[in-house]
Amino acid sequence: DAGITQSPRHKVTETGTPVTLRCHQTENHRYMYWYRQDPGHGLRLIHYSYGVKDTDKGEVSDGYSVSRSKTEDFLLTLESATSSQTSVYFCAIRDREYQPQHFGDGTRLSIL
Amino acid sequence: EDQVTQSPEALRLQEGESSSLNCSYTVSGLRGLFWYRQDPGKGPEFLFTLYSAGEEKEKERLKATLTKKESFLHITAPKPEDSATYLCAVLDAGGTSYGKLTFGQGTILTVHP
């Protein structure tokens, strides 16, 4: 199994509160990704990173920010959570070009 | 814009009843097609990568094939433990710099004993 740990695994919070999800890898892979998975939409890319302090937006980045201060950690922040951000969030890592991405087991986030 | 369509949405099989899942794609230039398996409450687990038309990969009861427009995941004599959602994703030429994948919505496979 790829060494990817997501935390927390479950979280319930209220609208308007800040939320930070963490992805930690032990593989020393360069690329890291955050996805959300929703019924009817499949997996959609939120943000990605191609190195320490190097990040960029994916297709559904509004309302989310990310940071990567160390190779092993990639943080996803919802500055002010909304109910539409209730979802399951997955982190993925990739080593080199054309190689597959490997996924963590996700964080189930509920915003009430 | 890249598009990936998987069919059927759901498939119910009896143990031992072989079948195939389909993944049709539209991309500007295919650089890789990936199959994943996802169990409830878990992240997608990588199964296969296919890079060019005519390529085939096998693993236990699963065999993935690729043409210029679609990929098939053949399941031979499935067992109940093969029950899962199977996801297909494509990497196109424009996305190779950071590995952006476009995913299909998956096929939910249920194998009854």
Side-chain angles (χ1 to χ4, degrees):
Chain A
D1 291 342
I4 307 168
T5 303
Q6 291 188 234
S7 58
R9 292 295 316 279
H10 303 272
K11 187 173 182 67
V12 180
T13 190
E14 295 183 348
T15 300
T17 59
V19 177
T20 296
L21 308 183
R22 180 184 185 228
C23 178
H24 178 78
Q25 60 145 331
T26 58
E27 306 296 322
N28 200 37
H29 285 353
R30 177 182 178 188
Y31 300 93
M32 298 185 75
Y33 307 83
W34 276 108
Y35 290 87
R36 61 179 290 174
Q37 187 174 39
D38 305 287
H41 291 279
L43 280 158
R44 293 180 291 173
L45 182 65
I46 305 171
H47 281 281
Y48 63 96
S49 169
Y50 46 96
V52 174
K53 297 186 180 179
D54 292 323
T55 65
D56 208 343
K57 297 178 179 180
E59 60 183 307
V60 290
S61 60
D62 286 349
Y64 302 95
S65 62
V66 290
S67 65
R68 192 171 177 197
S69 59
K70 298 184 290 185
T71 298
E72 58 266 36
D73 290 326
F74 193 31
L75 304 180
L76 177 70
T77 298
L78 292 65
E79 299 289 350
S80 179
T82 68
S83 58
S84 65
Q85 294 174 311
T86 292
S87 186
V88 181
Y89 292 85
F90 289 100
C91 173
I93 64 174
R94 180 173 69 98
D95 186 13
R96 299 184 305 277
E97 233 178 306
Y98 307 123
Q99 296 300 302
Q101 295 180 20
H102 296 279
F103 287 79
D105 279 338
T107 294
R108 183 172 295 276
L109 179 63
S110 297
I111 301 165
L112 308 178
Chain B
E1 183 177 323
D2 299 345
Q3 289 191 333
V4 179
T5 303
Q6 292 188 243
S7 61
E9 290 184 13
L11 180 63
R12 295 178 183 271
L13 299 174
Q14 289 296 127
E15 184 171 2
E17 179 187 3
S18 302
S19 188
S20 297
L21 313 183
N22 178 263
C23 172
S24 298
Y25 61 89
T26 304
V27 296
S28 57
L30 184 70
R31 291 295 179 262
L33 186 142
F34 304 88
W35 281 99
Y36 290 85
R37 169 195 171 121
Q38 186 173 21
D39 293 302
K42 297 284 192 177
E45 175 189 353
F46 170 69
L47 293 173
F48 304 110
T49 307
L50 301 166
Y51 291 109
S52 57
E55 190 175 358
E56 299 182 352
K57 294 275 181 71
E58 285 190 68
K59 180 181 179 180
E60 297 181 352
R61 295 176 293 282
L62 300 178
K63 179 180 178 180
T65 62
L66 181 65
T67 72
K68 289 186 177 180
K69 294 184 178 181
E70 58 192 350
S71 177
F72 291 94
L73 185 65
H74 306 278
I75 303 176
T76 302
K79 298 181 178 182
E81 53 261 42
D82 294 322
S83 298
T85 297
Y86 291 85
L87 301 172
C88 168
V90 297
L91 174 69
D92 85 351
T96 53
S97 61
Y98 59 88
K100 178 185 179 299
L101 295 179
T102 300
F103 282 86
Q105 294 198 22
T107 293
I108 302 171
L109 174 66
T110 305
V111 182
H112 296 285

